[in-house]
Amino acid sequence: MKLATLKDGTRDGQLAVVSRDLKTAHLADGIAPTLQKALDDWTFIAPQLDLLYQTINSGRGHRAFDFDPANCMAPLPRSSQRVAGTAYLPQIERACKAAGQDIPADLREAPRLVQGTGDAFLGAQDEIELAYEQWGIDYEAGIAVITDDVALGATADQAHMHIKLLMLVNDITLRNLQQAEQGSGYGFVQSKPAMACSPVAITPDELGDAWRGGKVHLPLRCSLNGKLTGQPQAGADMAFNYPQLLAHLCQTRSARAGSVVSGGGVANKEVKKGFSSIVERRHQELIADSVISTPYMLFGDTVRIEMPGEDGKSLFGAIEQTVKQAQTRRSR
């Protein structure tokens, strides 16, 4: 099943069911007005959404219309809990090597989690509006899961059953602000503006055999200004899978329906696969040549993030965003 949230002038938008080929959609207003409402009562609502999904895939949806990703908000426009994990250790290993440091030993034993901004996610084609290029604007391509209620103390096996949807994310990071926040000993705030999400969120069964072991075993394609920058395999070097990230989160708390948990930027040990962020390329340049030649994003730059299925067709639709200077700063 594939679900999207369409812009309707409200904060939470209008839930729609999207066809498997991403060509048509059908409003789900007779079933659930928003994705959060569906997640709150997923056991009852999901079968009804799935029936509508089967209907539009068969071409029998009498109120179906052309699907336009530009009219999409994030599938879940806001969440009470947004968490990012350190699931891809090659990314951290390169960062430590570039800095002349060893990777912390305990990082291999359990993931680290960071609380992120969840009150307003960006749609797949929303512009990245920021005040200054000097902040070090970077994209970070990853995958996030969306849950229903996960109980305090849930094991990884138990948490696995509560993963209801997956989506692609661009966890936009301001690298030149990040270092100071890391040094403060507190979490990221200024360096992590609103995250962007793919046009649709999909149920795990849409991935077929590519969803196994709590991981997505497919390449994640990243391009900057039309040039391919990486297509790392999302399942190859993931040290902690999504159920493990959820179980770690739920050691001290429950996760309510609509919690969004990502594994961090997708990274492979093999650098020939390319990178899911600019900072990773810069780290590799520093390791190989001791000189950084790749700049961070500038106003007018466009990033595209997409995941093809085993048939080569887009699974989630594409995140495609252009960096724009915030109007409030330009007017001063």
Side-chain angles (χ1 to χ4, degrees):
M1 185 163 54
K2 299 190 177 187
L3 302 175
T5 293
L6 304 182
K7 297 175 181 178
D8 67 352
T10 68
R11 286 194 177 106
D12 297 308
Q14 172 63 64
L15 181 63
V17 178
V18 182
S19 62
R20 182 171 285 113
D21 61 10
L22 302 178
K23 291 183 178 179
T24 58
H26 195 297
L27 292 179
D29 49 349
I31 303 171
T34 66
L35 182 54
Q36 184 61 56
K37 289 291 186 183
L39 290 163
D40 286 341
D41 196 9
W42 187 258
T43 301
F44 177 70
I45 296 295
Q48 299 177 60
L49 294 173
D50 188 59
L51 182 60
L52 180 55
Y53 182 59
Q54 301 306 324
T55 299
I56 63 173
N57 282 328
S58 67
R60 292 183 286 111
H62 68 280
R63 290 196 294 138
F65 51 88
D66 291 342
F67 178 62
D68 182 4
N71 193 37
C72 288
M73 302 173 74
L76 187 66
R78 53 178 173 164
S79 170
S80 58
Q81 181 162 230
R82 149 74 177 132
V83 175
T86 54
Y88 293 94
L89 298 189
Q91 184 186 55
I92 301 169
E93 288 170 346
R94 275 190 280 273
C96 290
K97 189 173 183 180
Q101 302 171 351
D102 294 326
I103 185 171
D106 62 347
L107 206 58
R108 303 183 189 278
E109 299 169 6
R112 292 181 181 176
L113 302 177
V114 177
Q115 203 89 39
T117 303
D119 58 332
F121 298 135
L122 298 177
Q125 294 188 18
D126 290 348
E127 292 175 320
I128 302 171
E129 290 195 54
L130 295 166
Y132 302 112
E133 293 174 331
Q134 292 84 355
W135 283 342
I137 306 165
D138 197 2
Y139 61 89
E140 188 168 2
I143 305 165
V145 298
I146 304 174
T147 74
D148 65 357
D149 290 327
V150 189
L152 168 68
T155 65
D157 286 342
Q158 291 168 338
H160 199 150
M161 303 301 294
H162 294 281
I163 294 173
K164 301 306 177 186
L165 296 163
L166 300 99
M167 61 184 179
L168 304 183
V169 297
N170 178 15
D171 193 7
I172 301 157
T173 306
L174 307 179
R175 302 295 180 184
N176 293 338
L177 303 183
Q178 189 177 34
Q179 188 173 3
E181 289 197 311
Q182 282 179 313
S184 73
Y186 291 89
F188 303 130
V189 177
Q190 303 293 350
S191 60
K192 285 287 187 179
M195 179 181 76
C197 308
S198 53
V200 302
I202 70 175
T203 49
D205 61 290
E206 290 292 322
L207 294 166
D209 292 339
W211 175 248
R212 61 183 187 275
K215 304 176 184 179
V216 179
H217 295 269
L218 289 169
L220 185 60
R221 294 178 58 88
C222 307
S223 301
L224 184 60
N225 297 327
K227 182 180 179 181
L228 182 68
T229 57
Q231 46 186 353
Q233 288 286 336
D237 297 306
M238 192 178 192
F240 306 101
N241 65 23
Y242 292 102
Q244 289 171 323
L245 293 176
L246 278 168
H248 191 69
L249 173 67
C250 290
Q251 285 183 7
T252 61
R253 73 197 70 188
S254 60
R256 294 303 185 191
S259 291
V260 176
V261 179
S262 69
V266 175
N268 290 160
K269 294 177 182 177
E270 294 183 68
V271 295
K272 67 180 182 181
K273 296 289 186 182
F275 307 102
S276 65
S277 64
I278 294 173
V279 75
E280 263 208 284
R281 181 174 294 278
R282 288 165 63 97
H283 287 153
Q284 185 58 33
E285 289 171 348
L286 203 56
I287 292 167
D289 304 317
S290 300
V291 176
I292 295 173
S293 59
T294 302
Y296 289 122
M297 295 176 73
L298 303 175
F299 297 138
D301 283 350
T302 298
V303 61
R304 183 181 175 92
I305 300 166
E306 194 168 17
M307 177 170 279
E310 293 177 341
D311 59 0
K313 297 178 181 179
S314 182
L315 279 166
F316 301 84
I319 296 173
E320 188 163 8
Q321 298 181 278
T322 299
V323 183
K324 176 183 177 182
Q325 188 172 21
Q327 184 67 39
T328 54
R329 289 294 183 180
R330 284 209 309 265
S331 64
R332 291 184 181 180

